[in-house]
Amino acid sequence: MTAVAPLALPTLPAAFQQSNVDYLAILPLLIVFGTALIGVLVEAFASRERRHAIQVTLSVVGLLAAAASIIVAAKHQGLTMGLTDGSTNRQLFALAIDGPALFMQGTILLMGVLGVLTMAERFGGVGPDAFTPSGASTPGSAVETAAARAGALTSEVFPLTMFAIFGMMLFPTTNDLIGMFVALEVLSLPLYILSGLARRRRLLSQEASLKYFLLGAFSSAFFLFGTALLYGYAGSVYFGDLSKAIAAGPLAMNGLLLPGAFLVFVGLLFKVGAVPFHAWTPDVYQGAPTPVTGFMAACTKAAAFGAILRLAYVGLDTGRWEWTNALVLVALLTMVVGAVLSVTQTDMKRLLAYSSIAHAGFILVGVLAFDRKAVGAVLFYLVAYGFSTIAAFAIVSLVRQNGAEATHLSQWAGLGKRYPVVAAAFAFLMLAFAGIPLTSGFVSKFGVFSAAVGTGGATGTVLAVVGVLCSAITVFVYARVIVLMFFSDAPDDGVEVVTPSVSTTFSIAIGTLITLALGVLPSALLDLADRASQFVR
């Protein structure tokens, strides 16, 4: 029996070397993190009456400043926050500032602005309408009632959101597995809290938060266990070292490579709601405050797919023949389960949750094409889906009955006859989710499916065909909602669309207009996404 020679494990340089940090390259990250810290200080020192206005203004200004600073960061692309080992020429850098990273950072920042504006909706109250004035109190208790009477507000949701956005921006930028795990936790922990702060249906919200936390903890454990296995395989957690080790490693070490790659992908696929790691999605989407649901559905999905792209195209690219089949199966299950189960839903937020699952499957089709054009198509899809989703959930938050959100489908009957403008905007967003021409959804699906057919071979063609069939199934779901709004009699049960503030109106208008613009004139963003699709190594 022939013994297998062990891999030569890389070692850190013996002499101390100073880490190289290009602060202009990470300027957007620094601005967002600084804004979050200032928000914490505002909570401590600002008066209750001024706190809401200060937090909203600070968050929006910080996000816009960070988005503008991406222009500066784009001139400093490359690897940063690390060092180069002079003896082995190994690139030990924690962050990769390249086209995909900057594109995803800009996308998350702009969608974050709309998310913050929808969270800021007060409907005439003293604090954000969607959030309880006392998150730590028992639902319906005297403590909660006293907090509401005293005019308490939950303005800490804004610095929490900023910390989540910081983690989301860091997630697709990391160049090693440990950094990716840290980013995963930074973006997840604030979302666990935000999910449990709904003003109404408190028990449902707290249940959603607990489920999200427990399942998220399991997924993080899977990710960390996979990281340990991949470190045992390559002797390094940096993506460059991992890729080289896979290219040169003996087959006998695949006992570490394949389980490690699978477990790391489990942690990432959980965040996008891919089947079979999707069980949390409908419950959390339904129980969380609706503006938080829209924010999560758009920004978390964008950040997680950015991380999946970097891992698949930079870290595990040389061994993709070993793990691709598993992701193909996940993509097929995600599309089919998301599309079929969306047909059976009677709650609007759960319907959009299963729609989100189906869209995750469609995006995975583009990821598995393994081509630069496919990367551009995925980036475009994330932008188009994100803005449409934030606008859709913002509209859902406006439909009320007796002060509470009316999310059951039967409550939406005849809405188009009484509130034609709002219903028309929502119907247009449904058409975009279905992939109807002249909407961003059509261009998005055409991009990922054509990339799969063009470069994915027979497997890509099968994925594209299944994607088209599942899209046809979802057309029925969205058409049913449109028919319900415009061609059904309105029940006499007091359902109304409340008048939103300027911030929510702006979010809905921008999301809808971007959905239209990317369907009619998509070439500018397609070209930008294509030019931003090259990873630095």
Side-chain angles (χ1 to χ4, degrees), residues 31 35-36 38-39 42-43 49-66 112-113 116-117 119-120 122 155 158-159 162 503:
I31 292 175
T35 303
I38 296 173
V42 170
E43 284 297 305
E49 294 76 15
R50 302 175 56 195
R51 206 178 294 161
H52 177 84
I54 294 175
Q55 291 284 24
V56 174
T57 303
L58 175 66
S59 299
V60 172
V61 171
L63 292 173
L64 292 176
V113 171
V116 167
L117 291 176
M119 293 181 198
R122 292 192 287 183
S155 55
F158 298 106
M162 297 303 295
S503 62

Side-chain angles (χ1 to χ4, degrees), residues 359 362 381 433-435 441-450 471 474:
H359 282 286
F362 301 149
Y381 201 124
F433 291 146
F442 172 78
V443 181
S444 302
K445 292 181 179 180
F446 180 82
V448 294
F449 292 158
S450 61
S471 295
T474 59

Side-chain angles (χ1 to χ4, degrees), residues 18 26 63 69 72 77 110-111 164 185 188 190 192 211 217 224 266 289 317 329 380 409 436 450 503 517 531:
Q18 183 178 357
I26 61 173
L63 292 173
S69 69
V72 177
Q77 296 189 39
L110 294 178
M111 292 192 300
E185 294 305 297
S188 298
Y192 299 152
K211 287 181 178 178
L224 206 54
V266 166
D317 56 323
L329 180 60
F380 181 92
L409 289 183
I436 302 301
S450 61
S503 62
R531 288 188 283 112

Side-chain angles (χ1 to χ4, degrees), residues 21 25-26 29 78-82 92-98 105 169-171 173-176 179 238 310 536:
V21 181
I26 61 173
L29 290 166
L79 299 175
T80 187
M81 289 195 69
L92 306 177
F93 290 93
L95 298 181
I97 307 300
D98 52 15
Q105 286 185 3
M169 294 173 63
L170 190 63
F171 206 22
T173 310
T174 52
N175 193 46
D176 67 279
Y238 292 94
R310 186 167 300 279
V536 67

Side-chain angles (χ1 to χ4, degrees), residues 201 204 281-288 290 293 341-356 393 396-397 399 404-412 426 430 477-478 480-481 484:
R201 295 195 289 185
L204 188 65
T281 308
D283 292 336
V284 174
Y285 276 36
Q286 183 183 23
T290 302
T293 303
L341 292 187
S342 64
V343 176
T344 65
Q345 301 307 308
T346 58
D347 184 272
M348 185 63 71
K349 293 173 74 174
R350 294 183 72 90
L351 185 152
L352 292 176
Y354 280 103
S355 169
S356 173
F393 278 103
V396 171
S397 69
V399 182
E405 292 176 357
T407 58
H408 196 278
L409 289 183
S410 63
Q411 296 173 301
W412 287 60
F426 194 78
M430 292 293 99
V477 178
Y478 305 128
R480 183 180 62 176
V481 174
L484 187 67

